[in-house]
Short mmCIF file of all heavy atoms in Angstrom, two decimals:
data_model
loop_
_atom_site.label_atom_id
_atom_site.label_comp_id
_atom_site.label_asym_id
_atom_site.label_seq_id
_atom_site.Cartn_x
_atom_site.Cartn_y
_atom_site.Cartn_z
N THR A 1 -9.60 15.44 -3.48
CA THR A 1 -8.86 14.48 -4.35
C THR A 1 -7.72 14.11 -3.38
O THR A 1 -7.24 12.91 -3.51
CB THR A 1 -8.35 14.94 -5.66
OG1 THR A 1 -7.63 16.25 -5.48
CG2 THR A 1 -9.56 15.18 -6.56
N ALA A 2 -7.14 14.86 -2.57
CA ALA A 2 -6.06 14.52 -1.69
C ALA A 2 -6.48 13.36 -0.64
O ALA A 2 -5.58 12.67 -0.16
CB ALA A 2 -5.60 15.74 -0.89
N ASP A 3 -7.83 13.27 -0.40
CA ASP A 3 -8.21 12.21 0.50
C ASP A 3 -8.40 10.79 -0.17
O ASP A 3 -8.46 9.87 0.54
CB ASP A 3 -9.70 12.56 1.00
CG ASP A 3 -9.70 13.83 1.78
OD1 ASP A 3 -8.72 14.09 2.62
OD2 ASP A 3 -10.69 14.70 1.67
N VAL A 4 -8.26 10.77 -1.34
CA VAL A 4 -8.52 9.48 -2.13
C VAL A 4 -7.67 8.32 -1.64
O VAL A 4 -8.19 7.29 -1.33
CB VAL A 4 -8.56 9.74 -3.68
CG1 VAL A 4 -8.48 8.23 -4.44
CG2 VAL A 4 -9.69 10.55 -4.16
N PRO A 5 -6.41 8.46 -1.46
CA PRO A 5 -5.65 7.32 -1.03
C PRO A 5 -6.13 6.80 0.40
O PRO A 5 -6.19 5.62 0.57
CB PRO A 5 -4.17 7.81 -0.94
CG PRO A 5 -4.12 8.92 -1.92
CD PRO A 5 -5.46 9.63 -1.89
N GLN A 6 -6.50 7.65 1.30
CA GLN A 6 -7.07 7.32 2.58
C GLN A 6 -8.36 6.63 2.36
O GLN A 6 -8.72 5.67 3.11
CB GLN A 6 -7.05 8.45 3.56
CG GLN A 6 -5.64 8.83 4.02
CD GLN A 6 -5.78 9.91 5.16
OE1 GLN A 6 -6.10 9.52 6.24
NE2 GLN A 6 -5.45 11.13 4.77
N LEU A 7 -9.21 7.23 1.49
CA LEU A 7 -10.47 6.61 1.28
C LEU A 7 -10.33 5.16 0.77
O LEU A 7 -11.12 4.26 1.29
CB LEU A 7 -11.34 7.37 0.30
CG LEU A 7 -11.90 8.79 0.64
CD1 LEU A 7 -12.45 9.52 -0.46
CD2 LEU A 7 -12.85 8.45 1.72
N TRP A 8 -9.54 5.07 -0.17
CA TRP A 8 -9.23 3.65 -0.80
C TRP A 8 -8.86 2.71 0.32
O TRP A 8 -9.34 1.58 0.44
CB TRP A 8 -8.13 3.82 -1.85
CG TRP A 8 -8.10 2.72 -2.81
CD1 TRP A 8 -8.96 1.97 -3.37
CD2 TRP A 8 -6.78 2.22 -3.30
NE1 TRP A 8 -8.45 1.02 -4.12
CE2 TRP A 8 -7.16 1.21 -4.11
CE3 TRP A 8 -5.46 2.49 -3.08
CZ2 TRP A 8 -6.16 0.38 -4.83
CZ3 TRP A 8 -4.49 1.74 -3.76
CH2 TRP A 8 -4.83 0.74 -4.59
N ASP A 9 -7.96 3.04 1.16
CA ASP A 9 -7.52 2.23 2.24
C ASP A 9 -8.71 1.90 3.24
O ASP A 9 -8.80 0.71 3.70
CB ASP A 9 -6.44 2.87 3.07
CG ASP A 9 -5.10 2.80 2.38
OD1 ASP A 9 -4.86 2.09 1.45
OD2 ASP A 9 -4.14 3.68 2.69
N LEU A 10 -9.46 2.86 3.57
CA LEU A 10 -10.55 2.76 4.47
C LEU A 10 -11.66 1.78 3.96
O LEU A 10 -12.10 0.80 4.56
CB LEU A 10 -11.15 3.97 4.74
CG LEU A 10 -12.49 4.11 5.61
CD1 LEU A 10 -12.21 3.40 7.05
CD2 LEU A 10 -12.93 5.54 5.88
N ILE A 11 -11.93 1.99 2.68
CA ILE A 11 -12.94 1.14 2.09
C ILE A 11 -12.49 -0.32 1.94
O ILE A 11 -13.21 -1.22 2.19
CB ILE A 11 -13.40 1.63 0.67
CG1 ILE A 11 -14.10 2.94 0.82
CG2 ILE A 11 -14.19 0.62 -0.23
CD1 ILE A 11 -14.11 3.77 -0.42
N ASP A 12 -11.24 -0.43 1.67
CA ASP A 12 -10.64 -1.84 1.58
C ASP A 12 -10.46 -2.56 2.89
O ASP A 12 -10.34 -3.80 2.86
CB ASP A 12 -9.28 -1.78 0.85
CG ASP A 12 -9.51 -1.84 -0.73
OD1 ASP A 12 -10.62 -1.91 -1.17
OD2 ASP A 12 -8.50 -1.61 -1.41
N LEU A 13 -10.58 -1.90 3.99
CA LEU A 13 -10.71 -2.58 5.27
C LEU A 13 -11.95 -3.45 5.35
O LEU A 13 -11.87 -4.45 6.05
CB LEU A 13 -10.86 -1.54 6.41
CG LEU A 13 -9.60 -0.76 6.83
CD1 LEU A 13 -9.92 0.19 7.92
CD2 LEU A 13 -8.50 -1.77 7.30
N TYR A 14 -13.06 -3.05 4.66
CA TYR A 14 -14.27 -3.74 4.72
C TYR A 14 -14.52 -4.63 3.52
O TYR A 14 -15.65 -5.25 3.46
CB TYR A 14 -15.35 -2.73 4.97
CG TYR A 14 -15.28 -2.00 6.33
CD1 TYR A 14 -14.66 -0.71 6.45
CD2 TYR A 14 -15.59 -2.66 7.52
CE1 TYR A 14 -14.42 -0.07 7.67
CE2 TYR A 14 -15.38 -2.00 8.81
CZ TYR A 14 -14.83 -0.74 8.78
OH TYR A 14 -14.60 -0.08 10.06
N ALA A 15 -13.73 -4.47 2.53
CA ALA A 15 -13.93 -5.38 1.38
C ALA A 15 -13.78 -6.79 1.55
O ALA A 15 -14.52 -7.72 1.03
CB ALA A 15 -13.01 -4.90 0.23
N PRO A 16 -12.83 -7.40 2.37
CA PRO A 16 -12.61 -8.80 2.44
C PRO A 16 -13.88 -9.51 3.03
O PRO A 16 -14.24 -10.61 2.63
CB PRO A 16 -11.44 -8.94 3.51
CG PRO A 16 -10.71 -7.70 3.20
CD PRO A 16 -11.72 -6.61 2.95
N ASP A 17 -14.69 -8.83 3.96
CA ASP A 17 -15.77 -9.46 4.44
C ASP A 17 -17.11 -8.98 3.76
O ASP A 17 -18.23 -9.23 4.18
CB ASP A 17 -15.97 -9.36 5.99
CG ASP A 17 -16.22 -7.95 6.39
OD1 ASP A 17 -16.19 -6.93 5.56
OD2 ASP A 17 -16.34 -7.63 7.61
N ARG A 18 -16.94 -8.37 2.65
CA ARG A 18 -17.95 -7.88 1.74
C ARG A 18 -18.97 -6.98 2.41
O ARG A 18 -20.04 -6.80 1.91
CB ARG A 18 -18.76 -9.13 1.09
CG ARG A 18 -17.74 -10.06 0.39
CD ARG A 18 -18.53 -11.28 -0.20
NE ARG A 18 -19.65 -10.86 -1.03
CZ ARG A 18 -19.66 -10.82 -2.34
NH1 ARG A 18 -18.55 -11.04 -2.97
NH2 ARG A 18 -20.66 -10.52 -2.93
N ARG A 19 -18.59 -6.23 3.40
CA ARG A 19 -19.34 -5.12 3.98
C ARG A 19 -19.41 -3.94 2.91
O ARG A 19 -20.37 -3.35 2.93
CB ARG A 19 -18.74 -4.63 5.25
CG ARG A 19 -18.84 -5.64 6.34
CD ARG A 19 -20.23 -5.75 6.86
NE ARG A 19 -20.39 -6.61 7.90
CZ ARG A 19 -21.46 -7.15 8.40
NH1 ARG A 19 -22.59 -6.78 7.81
NH2 ARG A 19 -21.51 -7.97 9.33
N LEU A 20 -18.27 -3.79 2.29
CA LEU A 20 -18.27 -2.78 1.10
C LEU A 20 -17.56 -3.55 -0.05
O LEU A 20 -16.78 -4.37 0.13
CB LEU A 20 -17.51 -1.63 1.52
CG LEU A 20 -17.99 -0.72 2.56
CD1 LEU A 20 -17.03 0.39 2.89
CD2 LEU A 20 -19.28 -0.09 2.08
N LEU A 21 -17.96 -3.05 -1.24
CA LEU A 21 -17.26 -3.53 -2.43
C LEU A 21 -15.92 -2.67 -2.60
O LEU A 21 -15.96 -1.51 -2.51
CB LEU A 21 -18.11 -3.50 -3.67
CG LEU A 21 -19.35 -4.42 -3.65
CD1 LEU A 21 -20.17 -4.20 -4.93
CD2 LEU A 21 -18.89 -5.77 -3.60
N SER A 22 -14.83 -3.36 -2.93
CA SER A 22 -13.60 -2.67 -3.18
C SER A 22 -13.96 -1.69 -4.49
O SER A 22 -14.57 -2.14 -5.38
CB SER A 22 -12.50 -3.60 -3.45
OG SER A 22 -11.28 -2.96 -3.73
N LYS A 23 -13.28 -0.57 -4.51
CA LYS A 23 -13.46 0.31 -5.62
C LYS A 23 -12.02 0.56 -6.25
O LYS A 23 -11.00 0.61 -5.53
CB LYS A 23 -14.11 1.61 -5.08
CG LYS A 23 -15.35 1.53 -4.62
CD LYS A 23 -15.97 2.82 -4.24
CE LYS A 23 -17.42 2.79 -3.84
NZ LYS A 23 -18.41 2.41 -4.76
N ALA A 24 -12.09 0.79 -7.47
CA ALA A 24 -10.85 1.11 -8.23
C ALA A 24 -10.41 2.52 -7.86
O ALA A 24 -11.25 3.32 -7.65
CB ALA A 24 -11.06 0.96 -9.68
N LEU A 25 -9.26 2.75 -7.75
CA LEU A 25 -8.77 4.15 -7.39
C LEU A 25 -9.39 5.16 -8.38
O LEU A 25 -9.83 6.21 -7.95
CB LEU A 25 -7.14 4.21 -7.45
CG LEU A 25 -6.48 5.19 -6.63
CD1 LEU A 25 -6.88 5.24 -5.22
CD2 LEU A 25 -4.99 4.82 -6.73
N VAL A 26 -9.37 4.75 -9.62
CA VAL A 26 -9.94 5.85 -10.57
C VAL A 26 -11.44 6.15 -10.33
O VAL A 26 -11.83 7.21 -10.40
CB VAL A 26 -9.68 5.34 -12.08
CG1 VAL A 26 -10.57 4.14 -12.42
CG2 VAL A 26 -10.01 6.53 -13.04
N THR A 27 -12.12 5.12 -9.84
CA THR A 27 -13.57 5.36 -9.46
C THR A 27 -13.69 6.31 -8.34
O THR A 27 -14.62 7.16 -8.38
CB THR A 27 -14.29 4.06 -9.16
OG1 THR A 27 -14.05 3.12 -10.30
CG2 THR A 27 -15.67 4.21 -8.82
N LEU A 28 -12.89 6.22 -7.34
CA LEU A 28 -12.91 7.15 -6.27
C LEU A 28 -12.58 8.57 -6.72
O LEU A 28 -13.24 9.46 -6.29
CB LEU A 28 -11.93 6.71 -5.09
CG LEU A 28 -12.45 5.44 -4.32
CD1 LEU A 28 -11.24 5.04 -3.50
CD2 LEU A 28 -13.78 5.66 -3.75
N TYR A 29 -11.63 8.78 -7.62
CA TYR A 29 -11.36 10.08 -8.16
C TYR A 29 -12.53 10.55 -8.93
O TYR A 29 -12.98 11.77 -8.81
CB TYR A 29 -10.20 9.99 -8.97
CG TYR A 29 -8.83 10.17 -8.24
CD1 TYR A 29 -8.01 8.95 -8.22
CD2 TYR A 29 -8.52 11.21 -7.47
CE1 TYR A 29 -6.86 8.98 -7.54
CE2 TYR A 29 -7.31 11.23 -6.72
CZ TYR A 29 -6.45 10.07 -6.72
OH TYR A 29 -5.31 10.14 -5.99
N GLU A 30 -13.26 9.73 -9.73
CA GLU A 30 -14.35 10.10 -10.55
C GLU A 30 -15.49 10.50 -9.65
O GLU A 30 -16.31 11.43 -10.13
CB GLU A 30 -14.81 8.95 -11.49
CG GLU A 30 -13.82 8.72 -12.52
CD GLU A 30 -14.06 7.53 -13.41
OE1 GLU A 30 -14.91 6.55 -12.94
OE2 GLU A 30 -13.63 7.29 -14.57
N ASP A 31 -15.66 9.95 -8.49
CA ASP A 31 -16.79 10.09 -7.73
C ASP A 31 -16.63 10.96 -6.47
O ASP A 31 -17.46 11.06 -5.55
CB ASP A 31 -17.41 8.75 -7.27
CG ASP A 31 -17.96 7.91 -8.39
OD1 ASP A 31 -18.20 8.49 -9.51
OD2 ASP A 31 -18.07 6.66 -8.15
N ILE A 32 -15.43 11.58 -6.40
CA ILE A 32 -15.09 12.30 -5.17
C ILE A 32 -16.06 13.37 -4.79
O ILE A 32 -16.25 13.63 -3.58
CB ILE A 32 -13.57 12.89 -5.32
CG1 ILE A 32 -13.16 13.32 -3.89
CG2 ILE A 32 -13.57 14.09 -6.30
CD1 ILE A 32 -12.90 12.05 -2.96
N GLN A 33 -16.76 14.02 -5.71
CA GLN A 33 -17.80 15.03 -5.40
C GLN A 33 -18.92 14.44 -4.63
O GLN A 33 -19.61 15.21 -3.93
CB GLN A 33 -18.20 15.83 -6.62
CG GLN A 33 -19.00 14.99 -7.64
CD GLN A 33 -18.22 14.10 -8.50
OE1 GLN A 33 -16.99 14.10 -8.51
NE2 GLN A 33 -18.86 13.39 -9.46
N ASP A 34 -19.08 13.10 -4.61
CA ASP A 34 -20.19 12.47 -3.89
C ASP A 34 -19.86 12.30 -2.41
O ASP A 34 -20.78 12.00 -1.64
CB ASP A 34 -20.52 11.09 -4.50
CG ASP A 34 -21.17 11.14 -5.88
OD1 ASP A 34 -21.51 12.26 -6.36
OD2 ASP A 34 -21.30 10.08 -6.49
N PHE A 35 -18.49 12.35 -2.09
CA PHE A 35 -18.14 11.97 -0.76
C PHE A 35 -17.97 13.08 0.33
O PHE A 35 -17.67 14.24 -0.08
CB PHE A 35 -16.70 11.26 -0.88
CG PHE A 35 -16.72 9.90 -1.21
CD1 PHE A 35 -16.76 9.50 -2.59
CD2 PHE A 35 -16.79 8.87 -0.35
CE1 PHE A 35 -16.76 8.19 -3.00
CE2 PHE A 35 -16.83 7.51 -0.72
CZ PHE A 35 -16.81 7.25 -2.15
N VAL A 36 -18.20 12.74 1.52
CA VAL A 36 -17.89 13.51 2.78
C VAL A 36 -17.02 12.63 3.52
O VAL A 36 -17.04 11.35 3.40
CB VAL A 36 -19.15 13.92 3.53
CG1 VAL A 36 -20.02 15.01 2.71
CG2 VAL A 36 -19.94 12.91 4.00
N VAL A 37 -16.14 13.25 4.31
CA VAL A 37 -15.32 12.50 5.12
C VAL A 37 -15.31 13.04 6.59
O VAL A 37 -15.64 14.19 6.82
CB VAL A 37 -13.76 12.55 4.69
CG1 VAL A 37 -13.55 11.86 3.34
CG2 VAL A 37 -13.23 13.93 4.70
#
């Protein structure tokens, strides 16, 4: 969960060109167990 702010920033690097869809912060916390960094 401590990684979530950095995950959010990283994902949002690619959201403007639609490479990734922006995610709500709460969604990242809810799904954190799915992630590796």
Side-chain angles (χ1 to χ4, degrees):
T1 56
D3 296 320
V4 168
Q6 289 187 72
L7 285 173
W8 195 41
D9 289 340
L10 174 58
I11 293 164
D12 277 355
L13 285 176
Y14 297 98
D17 66 358
R18 301 180 56 98
R19 293 286 180 192
L20 293 176
L21 293 176
S22 185
K23 294 187 180 291
L25 205 50
V26 67
T27 301
L28 290 173
Y29 282 112
E30 290 172 343
D31 295 342
I32 196 63
Q33 68 278 0
D34 290 353
F35 278 87
V36 295
V37 296

